[in-house]
Amino acid sequence: MGGLSGVAVIAHGGGPTAVVNASLAGVIEESRRHPEITALYGARHGISGIIGNSFLDLSRYPASLVDAVANVPASALGSCRCTVTDDDIDRALHNFEALDVRYCFYNGGNGSMNTAWRLERGARERGFDLRVIGIPKTIDNDLARTDHSPGFGSAARFFAYAARDLGEENRSLPPPVTVLEVLGRNAGWLVAATALARHREDDAPHLIYCPERRLTAAKLLADVEAVYRRLGRCLVAVCEGQLDDRGEAFGADPVSVDAYGRPLSGNLGHVLARLITRELKIRARSEKPGLLGRSCEAFVSAVDREEARLCGRAAVEAAIRCETGKMITLERLPGPGYRVRTGLADLESVWTSEQLLPPEWISACGSGVTAAIHEYAAPLAGEISPHPRLD
Amino acid sequence: MGGLSGVAVIAHGGGPTAVVNASLAGVIEESRRHPEITALYGARHGISGIIGNSFLDLSRYPASLVDAVANVPASALGSCRCTVTDDDIDRALHNFEALDVRYCFYNGGNGSMNTAWRLERGARERGFDLRVIGIPKTIDNDLARTDHSPGFGSAARFFAYAARDLGEENRSLPPPVTVLEVLGRNAGWLVAATALARHREDDAPHLIYCPERRLTAAKLLADVEAVYRRLGRCLVAVCEGQLDDRGEAFGADPVSVDAYGRPLSGNLGHVLARLITRELKIRARSEKPGLLGRSCEAFVSAVDREEARLCGRAAVEAAIRCETGKMITLERLPGPGYRVRTGLADLESVWTSEQLLPPEWISACGSGVTAAIHEYAAPLAGEISPHPRLD
């Protein structure tokens, strides 16, 4: 089987996650088991490193360092977020041919799966025998064709604990309203998963808004006022990508835009807290943990890390089995208990769509989520323990 | 010894910390050892609960629940931040007399030590035998007469890890500049302690600004540009209370003010990131973990928690030994190794001053701190491990 002999390259694309290095470790350890892979190079900063011939020789690191790196967030190789031109693809393939690269593992989100797909197609067109396998990675959990993506569980764990801890802080001491801004861009998976923090009827978050549904200022204010009247406090979880009824971001003010023209680091939570303070005369503050939600070692979910490593290993195994043009997926097996196995999906079927939160998981009133998110996300994020109280 | 028999009250004042409940547990467990203390009541929301006769009977909780609560952030009793009038003090003492309260433990910062001092003075003036002991608590570390305060070590641990993890995130992927906004109001202890994250010469944070020294926009921009030219990236740690050369907050926009008229939840980091993006044409983003820095269970420092509990126990012991009008202090003993013992300071000497970062701990250039902060804060925050890298 296999038999294609040559160098392998692993690259990271897009925003790092808390477990992207675990997938890297999976690729490294599995590559070492297959003599067909004569060397493993890590591209520095994704496609930029491939184009610029900037690689780390991953053969030279001892297993102990690989294990240490597997346990920490951020991308040990460096990543990139850039528009990839057809010329870039040509240059990358040219470099691959010169280096005798025969295996390419691309670990990222939708943009990266598009790059991987173009590399595979380009190689095929020029008759160059290259096997390209994508490895899923996104905290937003918006990759299609997979039950979920590595990175999501740890980010969900971070934000659920943030909601819990800020909720108890909020119960201790006014101001009575806190707006927690959650990562996720257009996808509500992460903000929905803050519901994992709820154990008691009055636990935070009290209001959860998913960006799949637009939100008017009037509704937000009425919701906050109703919770405040009932509990004397309110923790609102809102996604950074939430839009108002005109399809705009509530006047939030991005610092700048990224290479795709998407807003970077706006201040939606701040704007909503000001709106609540001004209109309801109820003091509010905002919290925006921001990139800590994807880079915080303390909240790595054990299941997420293990699955990230599994996906890395599965990518190498698939390539050795002659697969190409595919992304590794995670398939949830029927219960009892949570079990997954890896599968494969065509790269083109992944990058051409975006997996949003199912509309029926948003509660009818639009201010919360149904129990479905709990069943889905709890095994991935791990247990969010209740905050003990004296009362 | 002692012999004064009656009820004890424990109250929390000001912002919760990650270990304020450990001090509560110390008071509960030590009170149970002294038959002079006939019952222990916890005031709901500090002085408000004392005035409004809103108490929890802390005698009824099993040790296992007390231990569980000792391990979680936020205030299990509830806290308050309010202006205390002389009438409030009279009402509080009236309630204490009616309930036969003879011991009062007040756990908080400067404002709480003022309240405690006034309760003690008021009781003395009316010939009511009441023993009042303050227990230090502040993440800002601005209480005078003590080497440091419980709460600081855990918050320092949170922000040092935030600087480390965001620094590695930043090394993985542009935008090249991140502004990390750190708690601390007027005191630079916490922002200075982010230096604990530095192990390698290029580790974050690259620039640290302490609010004890004013900062011009021109200096900030020149500093960021210099680091960016050297490393291609820059993580700036800035305190929420940082002022510009006119003594203003860089145009940051507070959502509202607290009961003392102090700004709540501004957006300094966001404003500085915009300034850097606009003036230097280097893309920047901001991170403001906010209250997570004092409420995040995952970053509790073991030493901080143990010392918080020790201070709670020491308060009860001191009162039983007939002390009153004092705050428990932590005294650092001469080395080798880190050791502390508790001491006592007059309440009046505490609340009348504010302990700021020693000016000589700020580096001459004004963009960093000296090694003194490391020696001081490392034992309190615990080890901040280096982030393993492949390179």
Side-chain angles (χ1 to χ4, degrees):
Chain A
M1 268 179 69
L4 178 65
S5 178
V7 172
V9 161
I10 163 78
H12 288 167
T17 71
V19 299
V20 66
N21 289 331
S23 290
L24 172 65
V27 169
I28 294 174
E29 67 196 358
E30 190 63 31
S31 293
R32 290 178 181 179
R33 296 184 55 235
H34 298 280
E36 298 93 324
I37 297 181
T38 54
L40 176 65
Y41 294 169
R44 304 302 311 259
H45 297 286
I47 190 74
S48 317
I50 296 174
I51 296 168
N53 264 326
S54 175
F55 296 102
L56 288 174
D57 180 355
L58 298 176
S59 317
R60 65 189 174 93
Y61 298 108
S64 58
L65 179 59
V66 172
D67 278 335
V69 165
N71 287 333
V72 293
S75 163
L77 297 178
S79 186
C80 74
R81 195 175 264 148
C82 51
T83 307
V84 180
T85 65
D86 288 343
D87 278 355
D88 292 335
I89 297 291
D90 282 345
R91 262 194 294 267
L93 291 170
H94 175 83
N95 290 348
F96 279 177
E97 286 177 307
L99 292 167
D100 195 32
V101 172
R102 297 297 182 166
Y103 298 92
C104 175
F105 305 109
Y106 217 105
N107 192 180
N110 272 311
S112 301
M113 294 310 135
N114 172 269
T115 303
W117 174 77
R118 290 161 71 191
L119 286 169
E120 195 276 334
R121 190 184 54 171
R124 197 159 16 91
E125 284 169 2
R126 65 171 75 190
F128 170 48
D129 199 355
L130 176 72
R131 298 186 193 158
V132 182
I133 302 289
I135 304 168
K137 174 241 66 170
T138 163
I139 61 161
D140 300 349
N141 205 38
D142 58 354
L143 277 169
R145 305 291 307 280
T146 180
D147 179 78
H148 58 279
S149 291
F152 168 68
S154 298
R157 185 172 183 79
F158 177 94
F159 281 105
Y161 266 110
R164 188 199 79 157
D165 288 343
L166 292 170
E168 288 303 297
E169 159 84 32
N170 202 212
R171 210 172 71 93
S172 303
L173 181 71
V177 177
T178 297
V179 179
L180 172 63
E181 185 177 329
V182 178
L183 296 176
R185 293 192 188 272
N186 309 319
W189 297 99
L190 274 179
V191 74
T194 61
L196 298 179
R198 302 197 56 178
H199 297 275
R200 289 159 293 217
E201 194 277 327
D202 68 343
D203 272 344
H206 307 106
L207 298 170
I208 297 173
Y209 298 107
C210 299
E212 285 82 358
R213 193 178 292 194
R214 291 188 179 180
L215 174 67
T216 66
K219 173 168 174 55
L220 171 73
L221 293 170
D223 287 348
V224 169
E225 191 165 30
V227 173
Y228 176 73
R229 282 182 193 281
R230 185 162 56 88
L231 298 178
R233 60 196 164 86
C234 181
L235 189 129
V236 183
V238 63
C239 177
E240 58 176 353
Q242 182 65 53
L243 300 179
D244 66 15
D245 50 331
R246 294 164 307 159
E248 291 170 14
F250 286 94
D253 166 34
V255 170
S256 56
V257 295
D258 71 12
Y260 298 130
R262 298 183 297 198
L264 262 177
S265 192
N267 60 348
L268 177 69
H270 181 77
V271 169
L272 296 183
R274 285 195 57 200
L275 178 73
I276 291 164
T277 300
R278 189 178 68 236
E279 297 297 324
L280 298 180
K281 317 287 184 229
I282 303 172
R283 287 187 302 131
R285 63 189 306 157
S286 65
E287 297 289 327
K288 184 193 167 188
L291 297 195
L292 270 190
R294 72 186 193 201
S295 61
C296 191
E297 183 179 349
F299 290 95
V300 173
S301 146
V303 165
D304 191 26
R305 179 154 55 201
E306 184 44 51
E307 290 181 353
R309 201 152 177 158
L310 177 68
C311 288
R313 289 198 303 267
V316 177
E317 287 165 348
I320 294 292
R321 284 198 317 268
C322 303
E323 296 284 358
T324 186
K326 302 278 170 51
M327 182 186 82
I328 300 297
T329 60
L330 289 166
E331 298 174 1
R332 194 182 296 233
L333 299 173
Y338 171 76
R339 292 178 306 138
V340 287
R341 68 170 175 218
T342 60
L344 290 166
D346 284 339
L347 282 170
E348 188 170 11
S349 70
V350 174
W351 73 261
T352 50
S353 62
E354 185 180 34
Q355 173 175 271
L356 297 179
L357 196 71
E360 64 275 19
W361 289 20
I362 300 174
S363 56
C365 64
S367 315
V369 288
T370 70
I373 189 69
H374 204 284
E375 197 180 334
Y376 174 82
L380 316 179
E383 195 205 1
I384 312 299
S385 57
H387 200 284
R389 290 182 184 173
L390 299 179
D391 52 17
Chain B
M1 267 179 71
L4 177 66
S5 177
V7 172
V9 161
I10 163 78
H12 288 167
T17 71
V19 299
V20 66
N21 290 331
S23 290
L24 172 65
V27 169
I28 295 173
E29 67 195 359
E30 190 62 32
S31 294
R32 291 178 179 178
R33 296 186 52 235
H34 299 280
E36 299 94 322
I37 296 180
T38 55
L40 176 65
Y41 295 169
R44 304 302 312 259
H45 297 285
I47 190 74
S48 318
I50 296 175
I51 295 168
N53 265 325
S54 175
F55 296 103
L56 289 174
D57 180 356
L58 297 176
S59 318
R60 66 189 174 90
Y61 299 108
S64 58
L65 179 58
V66 172
D67 278 337
V69 165
N71 287 333
V72 292
S75 162
L77 298 177
S79 186
C80 73
R81 196 175 265 150
C82 50
T83 308
V84 180
T85 66
D86 289 343
D87 277 356
D88 292 336
I89 298 291
D90 282 346
R91 263 195 293 267
L93 291 169
H94 174 83
N95 290 349
F96 278 178
E97 286 177 308
L99 291 167
D100 195 31
V101 172
R102 298 296 182 166
Y103 298 92
C104 175
F105 305 108
Y106 217 105
N107 193 180
N110 273 309
S112 301
M113 294 310 136
N114 172 269
T115 302
W117 173 76
R118 290 161 71 191
L119 287 169
E120 195 276 334
R121 189 183 57 170
R124 197 158 17 89
E125 283 169 4
R126 63 171 77 191
F128 170 48
D129 199 356
L130 176 73
R131 298 185 194 158
V132 182
I133 302 290
I135 304 168
K137 173 239 69 172
T138 163
I139 61 160
D140 298 350
N141 205 37
D142 59 354
L143 278 168
R145 303 293 306 280
T146 181
D147 179 78
H148 59 279
S149 292
F152 168 68
S154 298
R157 185 172 183 79
F158 177 94
F159 281 105
Y161 266 110
R164 187 199 80 158
D165 288 343
L166 292 171
E168 289 303 298
E169 158 83 32
N170 202 212
R171 209 171 73 92
S172 303
L173 182 70
V177 177
T178 297
V179 179
L180 172 63
E181 185 179 329
V182 178
L183 296 177
R185 294 191 186 271
N186 310 317
W189 297 99
L190 273 179
V191 73
T194 61
L196 297 179
R198 301 196 57 177
H199 297 275
R200 288 160 292 217
E201 195 276 326
D202 69 343
D203 271 344
H206 308 106
L207 298 170
I208 297 175
Y209 298 107
C210 299
E212 285 82 358
R213 194 178 292 194
R214 291 187 179 180
L215 174 66
T216 65
K219 173 168 172 55
L220 171 74
L221 293 170
D223 287 348
V224 169
E225 190 164 31
V227 174
Y228 176 72
R229 280 182 195 282
R230 185 162 56 88
L231 299 177
R233 61 196 164 89
C234 182
L235 188 129
V236 183
V238 63
C239 177
E240 58 175 353
Q242 182 65 53
L243 300 179
D244 66 15
D245 50 331
R246 295 164 306 159
E248 291 169 15
F250 286 95
D253 166 33
V255 170
S256 57
V257 295
D258 72 11
Y260 299 129
R262 298 183 298 199
L264 263 177
S265 192
N267 61 346
L268 177 68
H270 181 77
V271 169
L272 296 183
R274 286 195 56 200
L275 178 73
I276 291 163
T277 300
R278 189 178 66 236
E279 297 297 325
L280 297 180
K281 317 285 183 234
I282 303 173
R283 287 187 303 131
R285 63 189 307 159
S286 66
E287 297 290 328
K288 185 193 168 190
L291 298 195
L292 270 190
R294 71 185 194 202
S295 61
C296 191
E297 183 178 350
F299 290 95
V300 173
S301 145
V303 165
D304 191 26
R305 179 154 54 200
E306 183 46 49
E307 290 182 352
R309 201 152 178 159
L310 177 68
C311 288
R313 290 199 302 267
V316 176
E317 288 166 348
I320 294 291
R321 284 197 320 266
C322 303
E323 296 285 358
T324 185
K326 303 277 171 49
M327 183 185 82
I328 301 299
T329 60
L330 289 166
E331 299 174 1
R332 193 182 295 235
L333 298 173
Y338 170 76
R339 292 178 305 137
V340 287
R341 68 170 175 217
T342 61
L344 291 166
D346 284 339
L347 283 169
E348 188 170 11
S349 70
V350 174
W351 72 259
T352 51
S353 63
E354 186 181 33
Q355 173 175 272
L356 297 179
L357 196 72
E360 65 274 18
W361 290 19
I362 300 174
S363 58
C365 64
S367 315
V369 288
T370 70
I373 189 69
H374 203 283
E375 198 179 332
Y376 173 83
L380 316 179
E383 195 204 1
I384 312 300
S385 57
H387 201 285
R389 290 182 184 171
L390 300 180
D391 51 18

